[in-house]
Amino acid sequence: MEEQIIIIGSNGQIGTELAIALRAKFGQHRVVTSDIREPQMPDTSGPFETIDVLDRKALHVLFTKYRPTQVYLLAAMLSATGEKYPRQAWDLNINGLLNVLDLSLKYGVNKVFWPSSIAVFGPHSPKANTPQYSVMDPNTVYGISKLAGERICEYYHSRYGLDVRSIRYPGIISWKAAPGGGTTDYAVHIFHEALKNNTYTCFLSANTALPMLYMDDAIRGTLALMDAPTDAVNIRSSYNLTGVSFTPAMLANEISKVVPEFTITYVENDPRQAIADTWPNSIDDTEAQQDWGWKPQFDLTSITEDMLTNLKNNR
Ligand code: AKB
Protein backbone atom coordinates (compact mmCIF):
# COMPACT_ATOMS: atom_id res chain seq x y z
CA MET A 1 0.00 0.00 0.00
CA GLU A 2 1.28 3.46 -0.86
CA GLU A 3 1.78 5.75 2.09
CA GLN A 4 -0.07 9.06 2.33
CA ILE A 5 1.53 11.27 4.95
CA ILE A 6 0.46 14.46 6.71
CA ILE A 7 2.90 16.55 8.75
CA ILE A 8 1.11 18.96 11.09
CA GLY A 9 3.35 21.84 12.17
CA SER A 10 5.72 21.44 9.23
CA ASN A 11 7.21 24.95 9.20
CA GLY A 12 9.25 24.56 12.38
CA GLN A 13 12.81 23.41 12.95
CA ILE A 14 12.11 19.67 12.76
CA GLY A 15 9.13 19.77 10.37
CA THR A 16 11.12 21.60 7.71
CA GLU A 17 13.71 18.82 7.50
CA LEU A 18 11.34 15.93 8.16
CA ALA A 19 9.25 17.05 5.18
CA ILE A 20 12.32 16.99 2.92
CA ALA A 21 13.31 13.52 4.17
CA LEU A 22 9.81 12.06 3.90
CA ARG A 23 9.30 13.51 0.41
CA ALA A 24 12.63 12.02 -0.70
CA LYS A 25 11.57 8.65 0.71
CA PHE A 26 7.90 8.42 -0.29
CA GLY A 27 7.53 10.91 -3.16
CA GLN A 28 6.72 14.63 -3.13
CA HIS A 29 2.98 14.33 -3.53
CA ARG A 30 2.65 11.61 -0.92
CA VAL A 31 3.60 14.06 1.84
CA VAL A 32 1.24 16.90 2.74
CA THR A 33 2.81 19.63 4.84
CA SER A 34 0.58 21.80 7.03
CA ASP A 35 1.01 24.58 9.53
CA ILE A 36 -0.92 27.41 11.13
CA ARG A 37 1.29 29.81 9.15
CA GLU A 38 2.05 29.85 5.44
CA PRO A 39 5.67 28.84 4.78
CA GLN A 40 8.04 31.85 4.49
CA MET A 41 9.05 30.71 1.01
CA PRO A 42 6.13 29.36 -1.05
CA ASP A 43 6.32 25.55 -0.80
CA THR A 44 6.47 24.15 -4.31
CA SER A 45 7.83 20.74 -3.35
CA GLY A 46 4.41 19.22 -2.57
CA PRO A 47 0.93 19.94 -1.22
CA PHE A 48 0.62 22.42 1.67
CA GLU A 49 -2.48 23.18 3.77
CA THR A 50 -2.93 25.97 6.30
CA ILE A 51 -4.35 24.38 9.46
CA ASP A 52 -4.79 25.12 13.15
CA VAL A 53 -4.46 21.80 14.99
CA LEU A 54 -6.95 23.09 17.58
CA ASP A 55 -9.59 23.46 14.87
CA ARG A 56 -11.18 20.00 14.89
CA LYS A 57 -13.49 20.70 11.98
CA ALA A 58 -10.63 21.83 9.77
CA LEU A 59 -8.68 18.72 10.80
CA HIS A 60 -11.63 16.55 9.76
CA VAL A 61 -11.59 18.21 6.36
CA LEU A 62 -7.83 17.63 6.08
CA PHE A 63 -8.11 13.93 7.01
CA THR A 64 -11.08 13.43 4.68
CA LYS A 65 -9.28 15.09 1.79
CA TYR A 66 -6.00 13.17 2.09
CA ARG A 67 -6.92 9.94 3.97
CA PRO A 68 -3.47 9.72 5.63
CA THR A 69 -1.78 6.41 6.45
CA GLN A 70 0.79 8.21 8.63
CA VAL A 71 0.53 11.45 10.61
CA TYR A 72 3.42 13.38 12.18
CA LEU A 73 2.23 15.93 14.74
CA LEU A 74 4.93 18.54 15.34
CA ALA A 75 2.83 21.59 16.26
CA ALA A 76 3.78 22.50 19.83
CA MET A 77 4.82 25.35 22.10
CA LEU A 78 8.35 24.77 23.48
CA SER A 79 9.71 25.22 26.98
CA ALA A 80 10.70 28.89 27.17
CA THR A 81 7.68 30.25 25.28
CA GLY A 82 5.45 27.88 27.25
CA GLU A 83 6.50 29.59 30.48
CA LYS A 84 5.31 32.92 29.04
CA TYR A 85 1.97 31.50 27.92
CA PRO A 86 1.26 28.45 30.13
CA ARG A 87 -2.46 28.16 29.37
CA GLN A 88 -1.92 28.36 25.61
CA ALA A 89 0.99 25.91 25.82
CA TRP A 90 -1.15 23.36 27.63
CA ASP A 91 -4.03 23.88 25.22
CA LEU A 92 -1.93 23.49 22.07
CA ASN A 93 0.26 20.65 23.31
CA ILE A 94 -2.54 18.57 24.86
CA ASN A 95 -5.67 19.39 22.88
CA GLY A 96 -3.74 19.37 19.60
CA LEU A 97 -2.52 15.87 20.45
CA LEU A 98 -5.98 14.62 21.50
CA ASN A 99 -7.50 15.97 18.27
CA VAL A 100 -4.92 14.13 16.18
CA LEU A 101 -5.19 10.87 18.16
CA ASP A 102 -9.00 10.87 17.93
CA LEU A 103 -9.04 11.60 14.21
CA SER A 104 -6.30 9.05 13.57
CA LEU A 105 -8.52 6.42 15.19
CA LYS A 106 -11.59 7.59 13.31
CA TYR A 107 -9.87 7.61 9.90
CA GLY A 108 -7.87 4.41 10.46
CA VAL A 109 -4.41 5.99 10.33
CA ASN A 110 -1.76 3.25 10.44
CA LYS A 111 0.97 5.11 12.35
CA VAL A 112 1.19 8.36 14.29
CA PHE A 113 4.43 10.10 15.30
CA TRP A 114 4.43 12.57 18.16
CA PRO A 115 7.56 14.08 19.71
CA SER A 116 8.13 14.17 23.43
CA SER A 117 11.16 15.79 25.05
CA ILE A 118 13.81 15.53 27.75
CA ALA A 119 11.60 18.15 29.43
CA VAL A 120 9.53 15.27 30.86
CA PHE A 121 12.24 14.92 33.49
CA GLY A 122 12.44 17.23 36.47
CA PRO A 123 14.46 18.29 39.48
CA HIS A 124 14.24 14.88 41.17
CA SER A 125 15.10 12.81 38.09
CA PRO A 126 18.65 11.42 37.97
CA LYS A 127 20.80 14.00 36.18
CA ALA A 128 23.49 11.81 34.63
CA ASN A 129 22.58 9.12 32.08
CA THR A 130 18.92 9.60 32.94
CA PRO A 131 17.27 6.23 32.36
CA GLN A 132 14.09 5.53 30.39
CA TYR A 133 12.18 4.88 33.61
CA SER A 134 12.85 7.13 36.60
CA VAL A 135 11.28 9.80 38.76
CA MET A 136 9.56 12.28 36.45
CA ASP A 137 8.48 15.53 38.04
CA PRO A 138 8.68 18.19 35.30
CA ASN A 139 8.02 21.71 36.54
CA THR A 140 7.54 23.56 33.26
CA VAL A 141 4.17 23.55 31.54
CA TYR A 142 5.91 22.20 28.44
CA GLY A 143 7.39 19.28 30.38
CA ILE A 144 4.08 18.61 32.14
CA SER A 145 2.23 18.61 28.82
CA LYS A 146 4.81 16.27 27.27
CA LEU A 147 4.57 13.84 30.19
CA ALA A 148 0.77 13.88 30.03
CA GLY A 149 1.02 13.45 26.25
CA GLU A 150 3.24 10.39 26.70
CA ARG A 151 0.72 8.82 29.06
CA ILE A 152 -2.15 9.52 26.67
CA CYS A 153 -0.21 8.10 23.68
CA GLU A 154 0.44 4.90 25.61
CA TYR A 155 -3.24 4.79 26.59
CA TYR A 156 -4.44 5.15 22.98
CA HIS A 157 -2.10 2.31 22.05
CA SER A 158 -3.11 -0.08 24.82
CA ARG A 159 -6.81 0.79 24.86
CA TYR A 160 -7.55 1.36 21.17
CA GLY A 161 -4.61 -0.29 19.42
CA LEU A 162 -3.45 2.95 17.77
CA ASP A 163 0.15 2.58 16.54
CA VAL A 164 1.63 5.71 18.13
CA ARG A 165 5.41 6.10 18.21
CA SER A 166 7.41 8.76 19.99
CA ILE A 167 10.90 10.01 20.81
CA ARG A 168 11.98 12.21 23.72
CA TYR A 169 14.02 14.65 21.68
CA PRO A 170 16.90 16.40 23.41
CA GLY A 171 18.04 19.81 22.04
CA ILE A 172 18.15 19.61 18.24
CA ILE A 173 20.94 21.37 16.37
CA SER A 174 20.39 22.31 12.74
CA TRP A 175 21.12 25.01 10.19
CA LYS A 176 18.14 24.97 7.78
CA ALA A 177 15.36 26.33 10.02
CA ALA A 178 15.65 28.15 13.33
CA PRO A 179 14.38 26.63 16.57
CA GLY A 180 11.57 28.56 18.23
CA GLY A 181 11.25 29.26 21.92
CA GLY A 182 13.25 26.45 23.53
CA THR A 183 15.85 26.30 26.28
CA THR A 184 18.37 24.48 24.09
CA ASP A 185 18.14 27.12 21.31
CA TYR A 186 21.49 28.64 22.36
CA ALA A 187 23.24 25.69 20.71
CA VAL A 188 21.92 26.88 17.34
CA HIS A 189 22.10 30.67 17.83
CA ILE A 190 25.77 30.41 18.83
CA PHE A 191 26.77 29.21 15.34
CA HIS A 192 24.95 32.05 13.57
CA GLU A 193 26.52 34.63 15.86
CA ALA A 194 29.99 33.08 15.58
CA LEU A 195 29.91 33.57 11.81
CA LYS A 196 28.21 36.97 11.89
CA ASN A 197 29.90 38.70 14.82
CA ASN A 198 32.65 36.35 16.12
CA THR A 199 31.00 36.53 19.53
CA TYR A 200 27.96 35.20 21.37
CA THR A 201 26.21 36.13 24.60
CA CYS A 202 24.88 32.92 26.06
CA PHE A 203 21.72 32.77 28.20
CA LEU A 204 22.87 29.56 29.91
CA SER A 205 25.90 29.37 32.20
CA ALA A 206 29.24 28.03 30.95
CA ASN A 207 28.89 24.66 32.68
CA THR A 208 25.25 23.78 31.98
CA ALA A 209 25.44 20.35 30.33
CA LEU A 210 22.45 19.28 28.23
CA PRO A 211 21.80 16.34 25.90
CA MET A 212 21.76 17.30 22.21
CA LEU A 213 21.24 15.70 18.83
CA TYR A 214 22.23 16.78 15.33
CA MET A 215 19.29 17.14 12.94
CA ASP A 216 20.61 14.48 10.54
CA ASP A 217 20.62 12.01 13.43
CA ALA A 218 17.19 13.18 14.62
CA ILE A 219 15.66 12.58 11.19
CA ARG A 220 17.42 9.24 10.78
CA GLY A 221 16.23 8.14 14.23
CA THR A 222 12.66 9.27 13.60
CA LEU A 223 12.46 7.39 10.30
CA ALA A 224 14.06 4.30 11.89
CA LEU A 225 11.47 4.28 14.67
CA MET A 226 8.63 4.72 12.17
CA ASP A 227 10.05 1.89 10.00
CA ALA A 228 10.55 -0.52 12.91
CA PRO A 229 8.29 -3.60 12.94
CA THR A 230 5.30 -3.05 15.21
CA ASP A 231 6.32 -5.74 17.67
CA ALA A 232 9.82 -4.22 18.05
CA VAL A 233 8.34 -0.99 19.39
CA ASN A 234 8.06 -1.98 23.03
CA ILE A 235 7.74 1.53 24.41
CA ARG A 236 4.53 3.37 23.57
CA SER A 237 5.04 6.35 25.83
CA SER A 238 8.24 7.75 24.29
CA TYR A 239 11.83 6.58 23.77
CA ASN A 240 14.84 8.23 25.41
CA LEU A 241 17.22 9.27 22.64
CA THR A 242 20.48 11.19 22.59
CA GLY A 243 23.45 12.09 20.48
CA VAL A 244 25.98 13.97 22.56
CA SER A 245 26.03 16.02 25.79
CA PHE A 246 27.97 19.24 26.14
CA THR A 247 28.09 22.59 27.92
CA PRO A 248 28.16 26.06 26.33
CA ALA A 249 31.87 26.28 27.26
CA MET A 250 32.64 23.01 25.48
CA LEU A 251 30.73 24.13 22.39
CA ALA A 252 32.45 27.54 22.39
CA ASN A 253 35.83 25.80 22.60
CA GLU A 254 34.95 23.61 19.62
CA ILE A 255 33.76 26.60 17.58
CA SER A 256 36.97 28.51 18.33
CA LYS A 257 38.95 25.70 16.68
CA VAL A 258 37.27 26.72 13.40
CA VAL A 259 36.69 30.42 14.16
CA PRO A 260 39.80 31.37 16.21
CA GLU A 261 38.55 34.93 16.97
CA PHE A 262 35.34 33.59 18.54
CA THR A 263 34.53 34.72 22.09
CA ILE A 264 31.63 33.92 24.40
CA THR A 265 30.14 35.78 27.36
CA TYR A 266 27.38 34.68 29.71
CA VAL A 267 24.35 36.55 31.07
CA GLU A 268 23.08 35.68 34.52
CA ASN A 269 19.52 35.16 35.69
CA ASP A 270 17.95 34.34 32.37
CA PRO A 271 14.73 32.39 33.09
CA ARG A 272 15.87 29.60 30.74
CA GLN A 273 18.69 28.74 33.17
CA ALA A 274 16.15 27.64 35.78
CA ILE A 275 14.54 25.36 33.20
CA ALA A 276 17.86 23.85 32.10
CA ASP A 277 18.80 23.23 35.73
CA THR A 278 15.89 20.79 36.09
CA TRP A 279 16.73 18.80 32.94
CA PRO A 280 19.10 15.84 32.53
CA ASN A 281 22.79 16.45 31.77
CA SER A 282 22.88 13.28 29.70
CA ILE A 283 20.48 10.53 28.63
CA ASP A 284 20.60 6.73 28.61
CA ASP A 285 18.98 5.52 25.38
CA THR A 286 19.63 1.77 25.76
CA GLU A 287 16.02 0.85 24.92
CA ALA A 288 16.12 2.68 21.56
CA GLN A 289 19.43 0.95 20.76
CA GLN A 290 18.03 -2.47 21.65
CA ASP A 291 14.54 -2.16 20.16
CA TRP A 292 15.25 -0.51 16.80
CA GLY A 293 19.00 -0.20 16.48
CA TRP A 294 19.52 3.45 17.39
CA LYS A 295 23.09 4.78 17.02
CA PRO A 296 23.96 8.45 16.51
CA GLN A 297 26.57 9.40 13.91
CA PHE A 298 27.46 12.97 14.90
CA ASP A 299 29.68 13.99 17.83
CA LEU A 300 30.48 17.51 19.02
CA THR A 301 33.34 17.99 16.54
CA SER A 302 31.42 16.78 13.49
CA ILE A 303 28.32 18.78 14.49
CA THR A 304 30.42 21.94 14.80
CA GLU A 305 32.17 21.43 11.47
CA ASP A 306 28.97 20.58 9.62
CA MET A 307 27.04 23.53 11.11
CA LEU A 308 29.75 26.08 10.29
CA THR A 309 30.32 24.73 6.77
CA ASN A 310 26.64 24.71 5.89
CA LEU A 311 25.89 28.09 7.43
CA LYS A 312 28.86 29.62 5.55
CA ASN A 313 27.75 28.03 2.26
CA ASN A 314 24.16 29.16 2.65
CA ARG A 315 24.65 32.78 3.69
C1 AKB B 1 13.28 23.03 24.32
O1 AKB B 1 14.39 23.49 24.64
O2 AKB B 1 12.21 23.42 24.81
C2 AKB B 1 13.24 21.91 23.32
C3 AKB B 1 13.26 20.57 23.97
C4 AKB B 1 14.49 20.07 24.59
O3 AKB B 1 12.27 19.90 23.98
N1 AKB B 1 14.34 22.03 22.41
Side-chain angles (χ1 to χ4, degrees), residues 188-210:
V188 175
H189 297 158
I190 192 171
F191 287 103
H192 290 266
E193 293 302 310
L195 290 177
K196 222 185 329 161
N197 302 318
N198 287 334
T199 187
Y200 178 62
T201 306
C202 187
F203 56 77
L204 296 184
S205 69
N207 296 320
T208 303
L210 288 171

Side-chain angles (χ1 to χ4, degrees), residues 98-109:
L98 286 171
N99 284 348
V100 169
L101 293 177
D102 284 343
L103 288 186
S104 296
L105 273 181
K106 186 174 163 62
Y107 286 87
V109 172

Side-chain angles (χ1 to χ4, degrees), residues 2 29 78 98 188 278:
E2 286 209 285
H29 289 275
L78 297 186
L98 286 171
V188 175
T278 69

Side-chain angles (χ1 to χ4, degrees), residues 13 78-80 116-119 142 169-172 181-185 279:
Q13 186 194 15
L78 297 186
S79 56
S116 185
S117 161
I118 55 163
Y142 173 66
Y169 287 132
I172 306 285
T183 302
T184 57
D185 292 8
W279 286 358

Side-chain angles (χ1 to χ4, degrees), residues 58-245:
L59 272 184
H60 265 289
V61 173
L62 186 72
F63 276 60
T64 311
K65 182 168 173 190
Y66 292 102
R67 296 278 164 182
T69 57
Q70 292 188 22
V71 176
Y72 294 73
L73 169 57
L74 302 176
M77 199 182 285
L78 297 186
S79 56
T81 311
E83 290 311 287
K84 291 189 193 143
Y85 310 104
R87 190 64 182 77
Q88 288 95 320
W90 177 261
D91 198 25
L92 174 61
N93 296 355
I94 291 297
N95 292 326
L97 173 60
L98 286 171
N99 284 348
V100 169
L101 293 177
D102 284 343
L103 288 186
S104 296
L105 273 181
K106 186 174 163 62
Y107 286 87
V109 172
N110 294 338
K111 288 181 202 168
V112 178
F113 178 81
W114 171 80
S116 185
S117 161
I118 55 163
V120 292
F121 297 107
H124 295 90
S125 307
K127 280 232 157 294
N129 289 323
T130 310
Q132 177 72 37
Y133 300 106
S134 71
V135 172
M136 296 168 103
D137 59 346
N139 60 8
T140 62
V141 73
Y142 173 66
I144 296 166
S145 69
K146 287 294 181 187
L147 183 54
E150 285 191 6
R151 304 316 310 147
I152 209 73
C153 284
E154 191 181 288
Y155 183 80
Y156 270 66
H157 176 259
S158 63
R159 170 108 196 228
Y160 306 117
L162 187 66
D163 190 346
V164 197
R165 304 175 181 208
S166 175
I167 286 173
R168 290 175 183 153
Y169 287 132
I172 306 285
I173 301 172
S174 68
W175 56 272
K176 283 194 187 129
T183 302
T184 57
D185 292 8
Y186 92 85
V188 175
H189 297 158
I190 192 171
F191 287 103
H192 290 266
E193 293 302 310
L195 290 177
K196 222 185 329 161
N197 302 318
N198 287 334
T199 187
Y200 178 62
T201 306
C202 187
F203 56 77
L204 296 184
S205 69
N207 296 320
T208 303
L210 288 171
M212 301 279 181
L213 187 61
Y214 199 46
M215 181 63 87
D216 300 44
D217 278 333
I219 299 296
R220 228 172 21 80
T222 304
L223 298 188
L225 172 62
M226 291 302 274
D227 279 346
T230 309
D231 57 6
V233 184
N234 295 314
I235 292 176
R236 294 300 180 154
S237 51
S238 189
Y239 277 94
N240 271 11
L241 200 85
T242 192
V244 57
S245 282

